[in-house]
Amino acid sequence: MAVFPFHTLEDLKDGINVLVIVSVLLVGYITYKHMLRRREYEADMIYAAQHGCQPMEAIYPTKWPLGLDVLKAQYINASNKRLFAFQQPHIEELGSNWTMSLLGSTGYTTLDPENIETILSSKFEDWGMGSRRNALLPFIGEGIFVQDGPAWKHSREMLRRPFLKAHYQDLKAFNQHVGMLIAKMSSSTAVVDLQPHFYNFTLATTTTLLFGQTAESIADEDQETFANRFDYASWVSSWRIRLQDFYWAWNTKRYRASCQTVKDFAGRFVKRALEETDKEKAEESSNGYEFIRDLYSELKDPVLVRDQLVNVLLAGRDTTACLLSWTFFLLVRHPSTLSRLRQEMQSIVDSQEVTRAHIQKMSYLKCVLNETLRLYPSVPINVRIAQKRTTIPRGGGPDGRSPVLIRKGNGIGYLPYYLHRRKDLYGQDAMEFRPERWENSKLDGIGWGYIPFHAGPRVCLGKDFALMEASCAVVRILQTFPNLRLPPEEKVVPVGQERQNLTIFLASADGCKVLLQ
């Protein structure tokens, strides 16, 4: 016997009435949303006309629905470690501004300094993190790199104070860590890959700043586990950012476990600092745990303290390690540059104790680091999402010189990697490593065409810390290893054609192999 959901004719009528009401409400809701979108579109067009906006005519070509062919090509070339080399000719053909439809959303890309200044400075409040926030939250938690508005301003003010203290301190702490780095390097007489040494070095300096303890105080096994899971979480997070609103699709058990390892690593230090509550212990450890105590006095929440530490750890460990790796990668492939840098170093530094005064006198070292950061900015790609209806000043119309309307919710990417390779900004040799281009104020007017440490209100708080750390390491290593050179079997390819490993940051996929002796 059939079973019906309605026991009586009256029940059937009631059910039909409910269905009609729901249908009417649903149609009404869809109509209402359509009207809102229509009104918003009309308001956008009026705003665009008032500001002289024209559409961006350069379009990144796609063949598959939702631009899935672009994502596929990016994934394949990123897996082959040649993503930027693959994209370079396409980007040179498109110019400084272009648009693309990806995963159902319209997005924009700019390599235009005027547009970048607008996004990062003059219209700073119009832009936010968008889906990047949710993409990164499992990894780095509620910290400065995923925040906007008042929360970001509060975080920046909190973190600014300890970095200001670091700016004025001498370089003894760096010298101590470089000494340990050199001791580990010296044990090998064969080919040495400097890149893992640099990651361990920057982990040590950053953990000392943040936690009051060096990485050397952590068991080697724990360090290795942390480093491996940190790198994996960073790699997955970079793809979650690319997936935009579909970030949630990449949320595997391994990813979650890696993120938790990173948070547990920082959480142990927070717990240890906060457990020392009596006066005597607090006095004994005040120098070591000062950073943590300062954050806790503001946030009153150990989880929020932990997340802020992970945010700083992410930047402090990877960015400077990448800078050092690329610097030596380039130096051993350009012997004349290495020779000139040695000569400057020998004329200025008269001891193994490198000081801030020494580094400030080394103008060619500054040129070398500037040029390395130009070609290999640690964060080569960045994105902002419009939080309101806004414009960028260039990119529209047939000549690309008119303003462009950016509707609320649309994203725009700016790519320091390609911006720094623009031949109209840096000359026809922009693809080459030539530190001399920074001498004699030749590039003093480059402005927003050079943003290795970001720019505007969100400029990197650790810029001075990173440059002093890298400078100290370069000088001490060249002092200790006067015969440092490229191994004969290592390939030399044009700059930008080497294999690269892209996570959130940009590293050499084949390390930085040298002969020390």
Side-chain angles (χ1 to χ4, degrees):
M1 182 177 68
V3 178
F4 295 94
F6 305 107
H7 298 290
T8 67
L9 184 60
E10 193 66 29
D11 289 338
L12 178 60
K13 291 179 179 178
D14 289 344
I16 292 173
N17 289 338
V18 169
L19 184 61
V20 170
I21 292 171
V22 169
S23 299
V24 169
L25 290 175
L26 182 59
V27 170
Y29 175 77
I30 293 172
T31 303
Y32 172 71
K33 295 295 288 187
H34 175 75
M35 290 175 61
L36 282 182
R37 285 194 295 269
R38 181 67 187 174
R39 288 178 183 176
E40 185 177 355
Y41 176 79
E42 291 172 352
D44 287 342
M45 294 305 100
I46 292 171
Y47 183 86
Q50 291 172 341
H51 290 81
C53 296
Q54 294 191 46
M56 213 178 258
E57 295 192 2
I59 301 174
Y60 196 101
T62 61
K63 298 178 181 178
W64 295 359
L66 303 178
L68 292 176
D69 57 312
V70 175
L71 277 179
K72 178 185 176 182
Q74 286 185 346
Y75 183 82
I76 291 172
N77 285 280
S79 299
N80 293 333
K81 312 300 181 183
R82 299 192 184 279
L83 177 60
F84 285 129
F86 163 74
Q87 291 184 152
Q88 183 77 45
H90 298 289
I91 288 174
E92 287 179 354
E93 185 176 345
L94 285 165
S96 300
N97 300 286
W98 67 90
T99 184
M100 179 171 63
S101 180
L102 189 64
L103 298 177
S105 299
T106 299
Y108 301 86
T109 303
T110 185
L111 311 180
D112 191 313
E114 192 173 342
N115 286 342
I116 292 170
E117 187 280 331
T118 298
I119 297 163
L120 301 186
S121 183
S122 60
K123 290 188 177 181
F124 175 77
E125 300 293 342
D126 291 0
W127 302 89
M129 295 292 113
S131 60
R132 169 180 156 176
R133 171 181 170 80
N134 290 328
L136 287 175
L137 270 176
F139 179 27
I140 60 177
E142 185 62 52
I144 189 170
F145 292 135
V146 296
Q147 293 174 327
D148 288 314
W152 167 78
K153 290 179 180 178
H154 184 221
S155 292
R156 187 169 179 88
E157 182 58 30
M158 277 192 306
L159 295 171
R160 186 178 65 88
R161 295 193 292 268
F163 277 109
L164 280 176
K165 294 177 186 176
H167 177 83
Y168 293 109
Q169 71 183 10
D170 58 36
L171 305 184
K172 287 182 180 178
F174 289 146
N175 278 286
Q176 178 185 357
H177 288 300
V178 175
M180 291 185 281
L181 166 66
I182 288 172
K184 291 178 180 178
M185 292 165 53
S186 299
S187 62
S188 177
T189 56
V191 174
V192 178
D193 185 357
L194 295 182
Q195 188 162 266
H197 285 291
F198 289 144
Y199 275 97
N200 290 336
F201 166 64
T202 56
L203 177 62
T205 57
T206 307
T207 52
T208 299
L209 172 71
L210 298 180
F211 308 140
Q213 294 189 32
T214 67
E216 284 77 11
S217 66
I218 305 165
D220 289 342
E221 184 178 343
D222 289 344
Q223 279 192 59
E224 185 176 355
T225 298
F226 166 78
N228 290 338
R229 296 197 173 185
F230 190 100
D231 292 341
Y232 179 75
S234 180
W235 179 75
V236 173
S237 294
S238 71
W239 278 101
R240 283 165 60 92
I241 292 171
R242 290 188 187 96
L243 289 170
Q244 301 176 34
D245 291 337
F246 295 92
Y247 65 88
W248 47 265
W250 201 324
N251 189 31
T252 63
K253 183 178 179 180
R254 182 183 175 190
Y255 174 66
R256 294 194 299 273
S258 296
C259 293
Q260 193 58 51
T261 296
V262 173
K263 291 181 177 180
D264 289 345
F265 179 85
R268 289 205 307 267
F269 291 98
V270 176
K271 182 179 178 182
R272 193 176 303 164
L274 299 182
E275 281 176 348
E276 297 186 4
T277 54
D278 67 84
K279 184 177 180 180
E280 181 178 346
K281 287 185 177 180
E283 287 175 353
E284 288 176 355
S285 63
S286 59
N287 290 331
Y289 291 123
E290 185 177 357
F291 200 118
I292 294 174
R293 293 183 187 282
D294 282 351
L295 290 181
Y296 187 76
S297 67
E298 290 268 357
L299 297 172
K300 309 298 184 186
D301 185 336
V303 173
L304 293 179
V305 173
R306 178 203 68 189
D307 288 354
Q308 292 286 8
L309 294 174
V310 172
N311 275 247
V312 179
L313 182 62
L314 173 68
R317 172 185 176 260
D318 286 38
T319 54
T320 312
C322 290
L323 170 57
L324 282 166
S325 297
W326 286 119
T327 298
F328 280 94
F329 182 94
L330 291 165
L331 285 174
V332 295
R333 285 164 173 77
H334 296 82
S336 60
T337 301
L338 179 56
S339 176
R340 183 176 170 187
L341 182 58
R342 286 189 187 282
Q343 291 173 11
E344 179 184 71
M345 179 193 73
Q346 291 166 357
S347 69
I348 293 173
V349 184
D350 53 4
S351 69
Q352 287 193 336
E353 189 73 19
V354 182
T355 67
R356 187 177 289 270
H358 287 144
I359 291 172
Q360 288 171 341
K361 292 177 183 177
M362 296 183 68
S363 59
Y364 194 63
L365 172 60
K366 181 180 179 181
C367 292
V368 168
L369 294 178
N370 280 351
E371 184 72 346
T372 302
L373 287 166
R374 181 183 74 84
L375 290 168
Y376 301 101
S378 297
V379 183
I381 304 171
N382 223 319
V383 178
R384 289 292 181 269
I385 307 298
Q387 300 191 105
K388 57 186 288 190
R389 182 187 300 120
T390 189
T391 64
I392 53 174
R394 291 165 57 86
D399 60 2
R401 295 184 179 181
S402 298
V404 177
L405 170 73
I406 307 295
R407 304 182 69 191
K408 180 180 179 180
N410 284 162
I412 188 163
Y414 51 100
L415 314 179
Y417 185 92
Y418 297 111
L419 167 69
H420 293 172
R421 283 169 159 73
R422 280 184 52 172
K423 292 178 181 178
D424 58 331
L425 296 179
Y426 290 96
Q428 290 303 306
D429 63 353
M431 297 296 291
E432 298 175 17
F433 176 69
R434 192 173 67 81
E436 290 74 15
R437 78 177 74 246
W438 295 93
E439 291 183 312
N440 304 319
S441 306
K442 294 173 187 174
L443 289 173
D444 278 0
I446 196 65
W448 292 85
Y450 182 66
I451 52 171
F453 290 97
H454 206 65
R458 293 191 89 122
V459 67
C460 177
L461 285 168
K463 176 180 177 180
D464 177 77
F465 185 90
L467 289 174
M468 287 297 118
E469 179 182 14
S471 298
C472 185
V474 170
V475 172
R476 289 287 306 280
I477 290 171
L478 293 183
Q479 277 183 324
T480 309
F481 303 106
N483 295 318
L484 183 142
R485 63 198 184 280
L486 183 71
E489 64 273 19
E490 279 295 294
K491 293 181 179 179
V492 177
V493 299
V495 170
Q497 295 301 312
E498 69 288 315
R499 286 169 21 96
Q500 302 169 351
N501 188 37
L502 176 64
T503 58
I504 297 172
F505 306 104
L506 183 67
S508 167
D510 296 314
C512 178
K513 297 182 177 67
V514 301
L515 283 170
L516 297 174
Q517 306 300 336

